[in-house]
Amino acid sequence: DQQVKQNSPSLSVQEGRISILNCDYTNSMFDYFLWYKKYPAEGPTFLISISSIKDKNEDGRFTVFLNKSAKHLSLHIVPSQPGDSAVYFCAASKGGGSQGNLIFGKGTKLSVKP
Amino acid sequence: EAGVAQSPRYKIIEKRQSVAFWCNPISGHATLYWYQQILGQGPKLLIQFQNNGVVDDSQLPKDRFSAERLKGVDSTLKIQPAKLEDSAVYLCASSAGQFYGYTFGSGTRLTVV
């Protein structure tokens, strides 16, 4: 039973354009959501997070949107750069913060072409 | 600030052998996690420590996996005996607090043959 789903295994985008990575969840108890970025042979790196009391959080080129009614969140990268090419994981937790058991999706591999 | 250190980076063992992984978290981080990432999957929590106490080990296969956190700092994860399905990357992470994202180490890639 997968509680966090990333239905697109891969995404290819041209440099300078917008990348949109999607994530759906099934557990309505989740109240904190995070995105991680992972390069090969490295551990995941925290990118951006959002609490369920918000619907948008922005950090530079990265914006996360949360639609609680649809149990859906998305990560927007604008403009996309070749260095953004990596696997992106969506994660969710209960309890109001990032501490505790994070439930991860399977990841989406983003390729940004020059 | 130094990151989360893990060793070894790679390990190949035969099934039924034992193996141990080591993790040194970021200094001052009270919470330490071990995650298992099987190829093509997202990381899955095995065990969470708060200082040297276990907070959550509900997904740890306790018949073969064990973990300890020495004096609330370093941690070791052991598998004995290993099975083929244990082949995965084992990630250690630490956290400064409730609203901080984890910092992961580079992981140990285990191959069981």
Side-chain angles (χ1 to χ4, degrees):
Chain A
D1 174 31
Q2 207 177 346
Q3 299 183 67
V4 177
K5 300 177 185 179
Q6 295 177 256
N7 292 319
S8 299
S10 62
L11 175 67
S12 184
V13 169
Q14 205 67 32
E15 180 180 6
R17 307 293 284 268
I18 184 171
S19 295
I20 300 176
L21 297 101
N22 293 303
C23 177
D24 297 293
Y25 61 96
T26 58
N27 192 333
S28 57
M29 297 297 291
F30 288 144
D31 56 11
Y32 200 78
F33 304 90
L34 306 92
W35 284 93
Y36 280 82
K37 173 177 165 179
K38 186 182 184 303
Y39 292 118
E42 295 183 13
T45 302
F46 170 68
L47 195 55
I48 192 169
S49 63
I50 187 167
S51 166
S52 60
I53 62 174
K54 295 186 176 182
D55 56 16
K56 176 182 174 181
N57 188 26
E58 193 171 354
D59 184 3
R61 296 186 298 114
F62 302 91
T63 303
V64 57
F65 295 93
L66 175 62
N67 182 334
K68 283 181 60 182
S69 60
K71 294 191 178 69
H72 177 84
L73 62 155
S74 61
L75 175 68
H76 293 211
I77 306 173
V78 183
S80 301
Q81 299 174 353
D84 296 329
S85 297
V87 177
Y88 289 78
F89 291 98
C90 170
S93 74
K94 296 175 271 187
S98 62
Q99 201 145 345
N101 185 6
L102 289 185
I103 308 297
F104 284 83
K106 292 186 177 183
T108 297
K109 184 175 183 179
L110 173 66
S111 299
V112 180
K113 299 181 178 180
Chain B
E1 166 180 85
V4 176
Q6 289 188 249
S7 66
R9 286 300 307 272
Y10 306 93
K11 191 74 177 179
I12 301 175
I13 62 171
E14 295 183 350
K15 60 184 178 184
R16 291 187 290 273
Q17 285 187 322
S18 62
V19 65
F21 314 125
W22 174 81
C23 172
N24 179 237
I26 292 174
S27 177
H29 282 193
T31 311
L32 184 147
Y33 311 83
W34 283 101
Y35 275 78
Q36 179 193 58
Q37 186 179 8
I38 293 172
L39 186 65
Q41 305 286 322
K44 184 186 83 171
L45 180 70
L46 292 175
I47 189 167
Q48 175 188 350
F49 291 94
Q50 181 75 17
N51 296 308
N52 61 352
V54 175
V55 174
D56 183 355
D57 64 355
S58 57
Q59 298 185 92
L60 186 74
K62 298 180 186 65
D63 57 334
R64 299 184 300 107
F65 286 65
S66 65
E68 61 179 3
R69 189 173 183 196
L70 306 171
K71 298 180 181 178
V73 182
D74 292 5
S75 178
T76 56
L77 176 69
K78 297 179 182 177
I79 308 175
Q80 182 179 10
K83 293 185 175 181
L84 296 176
E85 58 260 37
D86 298 332
S87 295
V89 175
Y90 290 84
L91 294 161
C92 178
S94 68
S95 172
Q98 185 176 8
F99 294 102
Y100 295 85
Y102 296 2
T103 301
F104 281 92
S106 296
T108 295
R109 180 176 294 278
L110 174 67
T111 302
V112 182
V113 297

